[in-house]
Amino acid sequence: MDAMAKTSTTTQGLRSAIERSGYYPALVAEAVEAAVGGEPIRSYLVHQETTFDQNEVRRHVTVLVLTGNRFIVSHTDEQAADSTSPTPYATTSTESVKLDRISSVVVSRVVANPEQYKPGTLPREVVLTIGWGAVNRIDLEPAACGDPNCDADHGYTGSSTADDLSLRVSEAGDGPETVRQALAFAQSISEATADLTR
C-alpha cells in the first residue's frame, strides 16, 4: 500500500472511530481535522468516558492523533444549561505539540494473575501518560533527618512529575479493542519520539 493510500485509510479510520463514539461526531471531527490540517496521520486513539458529577451524568471524549511532526490532543466536554447559557453546550479544545517537545511517555499496564501471564495477553487496564512540560505536578512533604529526637526544620523534599495528559482505558469499561488501540497508540508515540533521538 503506498503512503497516500495508507494516509487516506488512516484518516477515514479516524473519522469512523469518532462517529462510532457517538459523541457529537460532527463537532469533534471538525475540530480534530482542523488541528491535523493536511498532515498524514500515523496513529490515533478515540476515547469516550462517562463521569458522574453529583446528580449529573457527564460525557467527554478525548482524541489523540500522531502525525509525522506533531502530537494532537482534542478534548470535548458537554455542559448542562447554567447561569451563562440557557441551553446545554459543549466545549472543544485542541492542542498541538511538536514531537520534539514530548519528554515522557509512560504506559502502565494492570495484569490479572501475573504468575500465569503469557506474552501477548491483553492487560486488564492501561494508563497512558504523556508529558511535554505544559503541566507539572509537584508532590512535597516535610524533610526529616535520621535522628528521631530532632525537632529542627529540615525544609521540604518532593518530586516533580510531568502530567500533561493521563488517559485510562480498561477492558471492563471500554472493551478489549480500545485497550488494544491504546497500546498501539502508545507504541507509535514511543517509537516516534525515539526516532527523534537517533
Side-chain angles (χ1 to χ4, degrees), residues 9 31-33 45 47 51 57 65 88 107 111 113 115-116 130 148 167 179:
T9 303
V32 170
E33 288 167 5
L45 175 63
H47 180 250
T51 56
V57 176
V65 179
V107 182
V111 177
N113 302 312
E115 70 282 354
Q116 298 171 7
I130 301 171
L167 188 81
V179 174

Side-chain angles (χ1 to χ4, degrees), residues 136-160:
N136 283 309
R137 183 181 67 235
I138 299 177
D139 296 317
L140 294 175
E141 61 184 42
C145 68
D147 181 358
N149 297 319
C150 179
D151 61 359
D153 183 353
H154 294 284
Y156 288 87
T157 184
S159 62
S160 173

Side-chain angles (χ1 to χ4, degrees), residues 23-24 27-28 49 51 58-62 74-80 89-93:
Y23 184 85
Y24 307 122
L27 173 66
V28 173
E49 187 174 11
T51 56
R58 292 186 186 228
R59 298 178 307 155
H60 57 112
V61 68
T62 302
S74 175
H75 190 78
T76 304
D77 282 300
E78 65 183 358
Q79 307 291 331
Y89 61 98
T91 304
T92 299
S93 63

Side-chain angles (χ1 to χ4, degrees), residues 83-156:
S83 60
T84 64
S85 175
T87 59
Y89 61 98
T91 304
T92 299
S93 63
T94 56
E95 182 171 3
S96 175
V97 181
K98 286 188 167 203
L99 287 179
D100 62 2
R101 286 196 46 217
I102 294 178
S103 55
S104 67
V105 177
V106 181
V107 182
S108 300
R109 302 166 191 240
V110 177
V111 177
N113 302 312
E115 70 282 354
Q116 298 171 7
Y117 179 80
K118 292 183 173 70
T121 301
L122 206 57
R124 189 169 64 193
E125 76 179 51
V126 171
V127 179
L128 173 61
T129 305
I130 301 171
W132 57 91
V135 178
N136 283 309
R137 183 181 67 235
I138 299 177
D139 296 317
L140 294 175
E141 61 184 42
C145 68
D147 181 358
N149 297 319
C150 179
D151 61 359
D153 183 353
H154 294 284
Y156 288 87

Side-chain angles (χ1 to χ4, degrees), residues 14-79:
L14 173 59
R15 170 70 86 145
S16 295
I18 290 170
E19 289 173 358
R20 269 194 312 278
S21 79
Y23 184 85
Y24 307 122
L27 173 66
V28 173
E30 182 179 57
V32 170
E33 288 167 5
V36 171
E39 278 192 80
I41 295 171
R42 292 171 65 171
S43 186
Y44 63 85
L45 175 63
V46 177
H47 180 250
Q48 183 189 337
E49 187 174 11
T50 302
T51 56
F52 300 93
D53 182 13
Q54 297 176 2
N55 294 331
E56 293 182 35
V57 176
R58 292 186 186 228
R59 298 178 307 155
H60 57 112
V61 68
T62 302
V63 180
L64 309 180
V65 179
L66 179 64
T67 71
N69 301 308
R70 298 180 298 147
F71 166 60
I72 297 162
V73 181
S74 175
H75 190 78
T76 304
D77 282 300
E78 65 183 358
Q79 307 291 331

